[in-house]
Amino acid sequence: YQCVSNLTSMNPTYLFTFEYVKDKYQTAFKSTQENQGFSTQQQNTAPTKDQVNKIVGVVTQGILDSVGRAMFYSDYLILLFEIAAHITIEAKEIALDEWMILLYGHEYHRAAQSVSLTKNPHPDLISGQNWNLFSYLEKAVPEVYKGISEDIELNLAEWKAWIAKKNSPTIPSPTWIQKRKIHPFRIM
């Protein structure tokens, strides 16, 4: 639901899709409740985790099947990516700040600029805007990114090779990333 609502900002024609998804969600939810043994007498009984997972699966698949047919392929890929990101956020594998920075870049950072930023040690390699985003992440999600700016300064050649090859799978990621077993989303 949230993922489709975000698409309306990319393409206003998806506003109709958003309304359709709301209806589809409600229909699928009611249908799944009935198929999973819920009755109107059981409304005060909380569903089990298994029942909730089945409902979520049916609703998500139904929305993807029906909405996907009416979307541009590139927008459909964005929708799938956004759903994957939200699942990853819910699983606490990435922080919401990380997702927002990927989505909105420096605009998001500007809105959250209560963090004091470190000086960019390599403006020839990293643009000012990117360094500010990077510094913000280090402060906003320290359990993941603490010490990365210092590592870039100390191991510049390693980072430079990796950045120059556009994070190619043939070039090993910097040791800092390898040691921490960073989630692929975070590497992106």
Side-chain angles (χ1 to χ4, degrees):
Y1 179 87
Q2 180 65 40
C3 297
V4 173
S5 76
N6 288 344
L7 288 178
T8 62
S9 64
M10 281 179 15
N11 187 336
T13 60
Y14 291 130
L15 189 55
F16 300 110
T17 303
F18 180 60
E19 293 300 322
Y20 174 77
V21 167
K22 285 195 315 188
D23 293 341
K24 183 78 174 167
Y25 173 80
Q26 290 170 345
T27 302
F29 185 76
K30 288 176 186 171
S31 167
T32 306
Q33 277 187 315
E34 293 164 7
N35 291 338
Q36 296 302 319
F38 287 98
S39 68
T40 52
Q41 288 99 12
Q42 292 177 312
Q43 287 179 352
N44 293 331
T45 306
T48 66
K49 187 175 182 176
D50 188 47
Q51 288 170 323
V52 169
N53 287 337
K54 286 180 182 175
I55 290 169
V56 168
V58 167
V59 169
T60 302
Q61 190 61 55
I63 289 171
L64 284 176
D65 289 346
S66 57
V67 171
R69 286 187 217 126
M71 298 179 87
F72 295 112
Y73 183 70
S74 59
D75 293 344
Y76 183 67
L77 293 177
I78 291 170
L79 175 64
L80 293 176
F81 181 67
E82 191 162 345
I83 290 171
H86 281 281
I87 290 169
T88 308
I89 291 166
E90 283 297 313
K92 303 209 182 312
E93 293 174 6
I94 62 170
L96 181 60
D97 273 335
E98 294 170 292
W99 172 241
M100 298 303 285
I101 283 177
L102 181 66
L103 263 184
Y104 299 107
H106 70 278
E107 293 300 323
Y108 178 74
H109 167 264
R110 226 179 274 156
Q113 208 166 17
S114 59
V115 174
S116 62
L117 303 173
T118 59
K119 186 177 181 231
N120 184 351
H122 303 288
D124 57 314
L125 177 64
I126 304 168
S127 74
Q129 279 186 337
N130 285 340
W131 185 259
N132 286 346
L133 289 174
F134 184 69
S135 296
Y136 175 74
L137 269 176
E138 190 169 17
K139 305 274 192 237
V141 193
E143 63 275 11
V144 177
Y145 298 100
K146 185 176 181 178
I148 194 169
S149 59
E150 183 180 342
D151 191 76
I152 289 173
E153 287 186 65
L154 296 173
N155 301 300
L156 182 61
E158 184 180 34
W159 284 92
K160 207 174 204 176
W162 190 61
I163 291 168
K165 295 295 182 183
K166 307 277 189 241
N167 310 332
S168 166
T170 59
I171 301 293
S173 57
T175 307
W176 189 93
I177 292 173
Q178 293 175 27
K179 283 182 182 176
R180 285 161 183 75
K181 297 182 180 161
I182 300 293
H183 191 283
F185 183 93
R186 289 183 164 132
I187 293 172
M188 189 173 33

